[in-house]
Amino acid sequence: MSSQAIKYSFISYIGYIIGIISTIFLYSSELEFYGTLRYILATSLLLSSFFSLGLNATIIKLYNELTNKGFINSFICLSLIVIIVFISLNYFTFDLLKEFFFTFGGANFWNYMNFIFPIICLYSLNSVIYSFLANFYITAIPNIFDSLLPKVNMIISFIYFLYYKDACGALLLFVILSFISTVILFLFMKKKTGLSFDFNVNFWKDNSIRKEVISFSSFSILNSFLYAIITQIGMVMLGESNDLKINGIYAVIYSIIGLINIPLLAVSKSSTPLISDFIDNENIRDLNSFYKKTSLSLFFIGSFLFLIIATNFDSFFSILNKGELVGHFNIICILGLALMIDLLTGINSNIINRSKHYKINTAFIIITALISLTVSFLLIIYYKLGIMGVAISTFISMLVFNGLKLFFNYKFLKIHPFSKKMLPILISIILVLFVSQNFIFFNKFYFLFINSISIIFLYGIINYCYKIIPIKDIYKFNNKT
């Protein structure tokens, strides 16, 4: 693993730790403001996937050709300008038509659009800068701006709100801090890449480049926007149809349960070169073996984290006197199972993306986005199921998206992630969830301790019997190094 990759991973994990600690001890103290902030961020992420115009992906795709023809500086500069102008025009158009559209609903969007559009612009600009720096294999420092600084900015803005009780001032502070971060990121990019200001439009006169920019940018907009619908539409609809405090409760639950997905991020990044090697050499047998091993390990670790979180959640927040976060066991289980589907199917996305059938992912994204949009509307807007509606919608989206990829890999490559060793893990999940809900323990501290020790002991026995995580081999390796 390169030093950039190691630094990238380290920064990501620091970001996760800061996010979890601040969620538990800071954001949970003012759920309505946290819900407001998370609604604004989810809406901004959703719309920035469209307003970035696919230029972030196009920069990576056409970098070599643009560089060889001497157009790279002008393309980067004009991409940034086009995004700013395009978003500004849309903002003024939306502002003029606000009263007309307000009658159709979406009150929170219109109430907070003065904060949403600047953040959309900053997210879009950042995505272009990240992509340009990636061509120089500079990923660690940009990840500070992507994974670390936004969390720091949120903490500062939240503390401001707690102290002054001024929501608009706190949101404005967040926008200002985000703007400063983007300016610093731009200056860093300019220094590292030697970018010079060039607004020449000659690259647009090159027929081959123009066609590729239009074609690939359109394809990228479709992919990124539809994927953003899958991941963000629940939070956006929940914010539009409920009190934003409900959004805050959901955001806290999802942030904490999202911890179980961290192992997948690490495996996904580190496994890509190996998967490419298997596919390039048509070594399907070893690919299938690797697929099973990674899925088993991810399912083992993920289910362990899930049980620790799900069974201790109520007791933990009861001890902290956070009554509004207690009593959501069913929602935690549904969200946890949704994420474990992702872990169980493991690296199926990586396999498809590295194969000659990579374009099929777009079809899967379209299908899943349409289902996600429909189910979210029915459950959240029409039936008004609130957090439960978002949880069910997330579960269905994960099930459909991973199910399609699972079927494709089995149909065309004859590989799947399942093995007999998953059975004791599955039985353990059911057993622990059942016992934890039927075991009455009046002292929350004792329950936390005994419950956690019991789960650790149970998973230790499973690992000892089935050698899922080779602890002895890891120990020997660490001693040698």
Side-chain angles (χ1 to χ4, degrees):
M1 186 182 287
S2 68
S3 61
Q4 283 288 312
I6 294 170
K7 291 174 184 176
Y8 183 96
S9 299
F10 178 74
I11 292 165
S12 296
Y13 286 122
I14 292 295
Y16 289 131
I17 293 168
I18 291 173
I20 289 298
I21 292 173
S22 55
T23 298
I24 293 172
F25 297 105
L26 184 63
Y27 304 145
S28 60
S29 61
E30 278 289 348
L31 292 169
E32 186 172 355
F33 180 69
Y34 183 51
T36 302
L37 191 52
R38 286 299 296 264
Y39 165 77
I40 290 171
L41 293 178
T43 306
S44 301
L45 278 170
L46 175 62
L47 295 178
S48 67
S49 63
F50 172 78
F51 282 111
S52 61
L53 300 172
L55 292 169
N56 51 332
T58 304
I59 287 167
I60 293 176
K61 174 73 173 176
L62 302 181
Y63 174 75
N64 289 330
E65 187 175 354
L66 288 166
T67 302
N68 292 336
K69 293 184 178 182
F71 295 143
I72 190 63
N73 281 344
S74 59
F75 187 82
I76 297 297
C77 292
L78 287 170
S79 292
L80 298 174
I81 295 297
V82 165
I83 286 172
I84 293 171
V85 172
F86 182 59
I87 293 174
S88 299
L89 288 174
N90 275 275
Y91 169 76
F92 290 119
T93 303
F94 274 68
D95 194 46
L96 288 171
L97 300 174
K98 182 193 297 186
E99 296 302 322
F100 173 74
F101 283 116
F102 202 93
T103 59
F104 294 97
N108 282 328
F109 175 80
W110 302 111
N111 289 336
Y112 295 109
M113 66 175 286
N114 290 335
F115 302 108
I116 290 171
F117 271 92
I119 295 173
I120 290 171
C121 187
L122 295 174
Y123 279 166
S124 301
L125 295 174
N126 287 353
S127 68
V128 170
I129 296 172
Y130 295 147
S131 296
F132 185 45
L133 286 168
N135 289 296
F136 294 84
Y137 300 98
I138 302 172
T139 57
I141 299 299
N143 197 33
I144 293 176
F145 293 87
D146 187 35
S147 300
L148 209 55
L149 281 184
K151 292 180 174 64
V152 174
N153 294 342
M154 278 186 69
I155 291 170
I156 294 171
S157 303
F158 207 90
I159 291 172
Y160 176 92
F161 172 76
L162 291 176
Y163 189 78
Y164 292 104
K165 299 297 179 184
D166 177 11
C168 286
L171 293 173
L172 179 60
L173 177 61
F174 180 79
V175 172
I176 292 170
L177 291 172
S178 299
F179 173 75
I180 293 170
S181 298
T182 298
V183 171
I184 296 171
L185 178 63
F186 175 79
L187 294 174
F188 173 79
M189 175 196 70
K190 192 173 183 300
K191 180 180 178 180
K192 286 294 182 179
T193 63
L195 178 75
S196 58
F197 292 110
D198 183 354
F199 302 101
N200 196 310
V201 295
N202 285 337
F203 72 86
W204 198 248
K205 298 175 184 178
D206 188 306
N207 287 331
S208 64
I209 288 181
R210 184 173 66 252
K211 288 178 181 178
E212 285 189 87
V213 168
I214 294 172
S215 174
F216 195 76
S217 293
S218 302
F219 179 78
S220 298
I221 291 172
L222 179 68
N223 267 311
S224 58
F225 185 60
L226 290 175
Y227 189 74
I229 287 175
I230 296 170
T231 58
Q232 303 297 331
I233 197 65
M235 178 76 78
V236 174
M237 285 190 177
L238 185 64
E240 287 296 349
S241 61
N242 293 272
D243 182 346
L244 285 169
K245 180 180 282 189
I246 301 296
N247 228 35
I249 293 171
Y250 173 76
V252 170
I253 293 171
Y254 193 81
S255 294
I256 294 172
I257 202 71
L259 268 173
I260 72 176
N261 226 24
I262 291 178
L264 179 59
L265 300 175
V267 170
S268 181
K269 281 193 172 295
S270 60
S271 65
T272 299
L274 196 55
I275 293 169
S276 296
D277 186 56
F278 287 143
I279 291 174
D280 291 343
N281 294 307
E282 298 183 357
N283 191 351
I284 303 303
R285 182 178 177 179
D286 284 349
L287 176 62
N288 191 35
S289 176
F290 182 68
Y291 191 15
K292 283 181 167 61
K293 286 178 181 177
T294 53
S295 295
L296 177 62
S297 298
L298 287 170
F299 186 48
F300 179 79
I301 298 170
S303 62
F304 169 75
L305 293 172
F306 165 67
L307 290 176
I308 290 289
I309 293 168
T311 57
N312 289 324
F313 195 92
D314 280 1
S315 295
F316 181 75
F317 280 103
S318 293
I319 292 169
L320 294 179
N321 293 318
K322 310 284 185 181
E324 290 170 306
L325 293 170
V326 175
H328 302 291
F329 179 76
N330 291 339
I331 292 164
I332 293 167
C333 285
I334 293 170
L335 287 172
L337 292 173
L339 293 177
M340 275 200 293
I341 289 171
D342 226 13
L343 296 173
L344 190 61
T345 52
I347 54 173
N348 54 11
S349 289
N350 301 56
I351 293 170
I352 293 175
N353 287 334
R354 294 292 169 261
S355 73
K356 61 182 179 181
H357 305 291
Y358 66 93
K359 289 186 178 179
I360 196 68
N361 251 338
T362 302
F364 294 159
I365 290 172
I366 292 171
I367 294 168
T368 308
L370 291 173
I371 292 173
S372 180
L373 199 58
T374 305
V375 173
S376 295
F377 178 80
L378 287 173
L379 297 180
I380 302 168
I381 305 296
Y382 188 77
Y383 289 110
K384 300 187 183 302
L385 294 182
I387 299 176
M388 181 60 76
V390 184
I392 295 171
S393 175
T394 301
F395 178 82
I396 292 172
S397 297
M398 287 290 188
L399 187 63
V400 171
F401 195 42
N402 286 290
L404 288 169
K405 291 182 285 187
L406 190 66
F407 173 78
F408 182 85
N409 281 333
Y410 184 73
K411 178 74 174 176
F412 290 93
L413 296 174
K414 305 301 179 187
I415 60 175
H416 65 81
F418 307 115
S419 61
K420 292 179 181 178
K421 290 183 179 181
M422 289 179 176
L423 188 59
I425 301 172
L426 186 60
I427 294 171
S428 298
I429 294 171
I430 297 169
L431 179 66
V432 172
L433 291 177
F434 177 79
V435 171
S436 69
Q437 290 305 293
N438 292 279
F439 184 69
I440 300 173
F441 219 109
F442 295 103
N443 190 301
K444 302 296 182 183
F445 284 103
Y446 288 159
F447 177 81
L448 275 173
F449 178 76
I450 293 172
N451 183 61
S452 299
I453 292 296
S454 300
I455 294 171
I456 292 169
F457 182 71
L458 175 62
Y459 269 71
I461 292 173
I462 294 172
N463 193 57
Y464 179 79
C465 294
Y466 294 96
K467 306 294 187 293
I468 297 170
I469 307 294
I471 295 174
K472 286 185 178 179
D473 291 344
I474 295 171
Y475 177 75
K476 288 177 183 177
F477 176 79
N478 286 335
N479 281 343
K480 287 179 181 178
T481 55

